[in-house]
């Protein structure tokens, strides 16, 4: 019985590890304060889009510290997204709402610099995170959420092969006093082989 408890604890701890995940277009590496300068430069053109909650350039160092504190508290797993072609840090992403006992988590708090959008890089980032979740952590489901008005994000999530579960109306109070409706998508374990095939086929046709 004690051995089972140790094994279960070890399995839960794996959910909060931050491994380096490498692809052809992007590398996910553990978020670090030294990434602040590059990330601040990359977020500058998009940080004030009204339907997103992105850190400002001046607030990037504080946002990194916040995510690292939440990781230390067992709440999130934070990565920096680095572009392979030039080695530049061009975004951030996390696992959040992590529930090891239920083998579920959410991919979120993600942003990618405009220079990398439309290149396939975001799809590879999601593929790396989904491979980690389903193949290594044995998740039964992975969620993705976005603002109702973020139509580009909604289309991108659907293009991954995720299914829309529903809309959580008046879910969040927004920074300007408005209320956010949250669109919830998910991929469940039986769908993962088909989702993976679709993503790898798409990425294989990129230059």
């Amino acid at each position: 019985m004690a051995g089972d408890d140790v094994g279960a604890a070890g399995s839960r701890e794996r959910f909060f590890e931050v491994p380096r995940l490498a692809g052809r277009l992007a590398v996910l590496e553990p978020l670090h304060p030294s990434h602040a300068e590059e990330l601040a430069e990359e977020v500058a053109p998009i940080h004030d889009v009204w339907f997103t909650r992105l850190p400002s350039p001046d607030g990037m160092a504080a946002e990194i510290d916040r995510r690292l504190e939440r990781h230390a508290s067992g709440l999130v797993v934070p990565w920096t997204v680095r572009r392979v072609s030039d080695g530049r840090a061009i975004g951030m992403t996390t696992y959040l709402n992590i529930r090891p006992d239920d083998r579920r988590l959410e991919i979120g708090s993600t942003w990618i610099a405009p220079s990398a959008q439309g290149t396939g890089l975001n799809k590879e980032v999601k593929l790396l995170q989904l491979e980690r979740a389903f193949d290594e952590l044995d998740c039964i489901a992975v969620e993705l959420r976005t603002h109702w008005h973020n139509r580009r994000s909604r289309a991108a999530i659907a293009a991954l092969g995720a299914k829309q579960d529903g809309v959580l109306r008046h879910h969040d109070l927004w920074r300007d006093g408005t209320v956010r409706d949250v669109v919830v998508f998910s991929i469940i374990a039986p769908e993962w082989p088909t989702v993976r095939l679709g993503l790898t086929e798409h990425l294989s046709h990129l230059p």
Side-chain angles (χ1 to χ4, degrees):
M1 187 71 67
D4 291 342
D5 292 341
V6 171
S11 178
R12 286 193 291 271
E13 288 173 1
R14 292 191 65 223
F15 272 76
F16 298 97
E17 295 172 354
V18 195
R20 182 179 184 273
L21 306 176
R24 182 170 65 91
L25 304 175
V27 172
L28 302 187
E29 59 185 54
L31 183 66
H32 190 272
S34 63
H35 304 157
E37 183 176 353
E38 280 183 295
L39 291 173
E41 293 173 0
E42 296 294 342
V43 82
I46 55 173
H47 76 92
D48 57 356
V49 175
W50 71 272
F51 50 72
T52 64
R53 279 180 174 161
L54 301 184
S56 67
D58 291 342
M60 183 59 69
E63 174 62 13
I64 291 174
D65 288 343
R66 186 186 73 85
R67 294 195 189 200
L68 293 177
E69 287 171 4
R70 286 173 60 79
H71 175 245
S73 299
L75 297 173
V76 304
V77 173
W79 283 280
T80 291
V81 179
R82 194 171 294 280
R83 185 164 47 204
V84 170
S85 62
D86 58 6
R88 187 165 179 82
I90 49 87
M92 306 165 79
T93 189
T94 71
Y95 285 164
L96 61 159
N97 292 326
I98 302 168
R99 295 162 52 191
D101 291 343
D102 296 312
R103 290 165 33 214
R104 296 180 64 100
L105 54 80
E106 178 188 343
I107 295 173
S109 295
T110 301
W111 64 269
I112 301 292
S115 62
Q117 293 174 8
T119 66
L121 185 144
N122 184 53
K123 282 192 174 181
E124 186 177 72
V125 167
K126 295 299 190 294
L127 176 61
L128 292 169
Q129 290 179 288
L130 289 167
E131 286 177 335
R132 166 79 176 160
F134 285 115
D135 298 342
E136 298 181 29
L137 300 177
D138 196 27
C139 284
I140 62 171
V142 172
E143 283 188 14
L144 301 102
R145 300 185 177 201
T146 192
H147 195 301
W148 171 264
H149 288 285
N150 194 343
R151 292 178 176 82
R152 180 170 185 161
S153 178
R154 287 166 57 187
I157 293 171
L160 297 173
K163 303 292 195 305
Q164 183 173 318
D165 295 324
V167 181
L168 303 177
R169 293 171 57 84
H170 276 213
H171 189 264
D172 294 333
L173 286 173
W174 213 236
R175 58 192 174 194
D176 60 0
T178 60
V179 182
R180 181 176 84 148
D181 293 343
V182 176
V183 187
V184 183
F185 294 81
S186 68
I187 299 167
I188 58 176
E191 297 167 345
W192 166 232
T194 302
V195 169
R196 174 167 48 193
L197 179 60
L199 289 172
T200 54
E201 280 293 306
H202 174 82
L203 291 168
S204 72
H205 291 92
L206 294 176

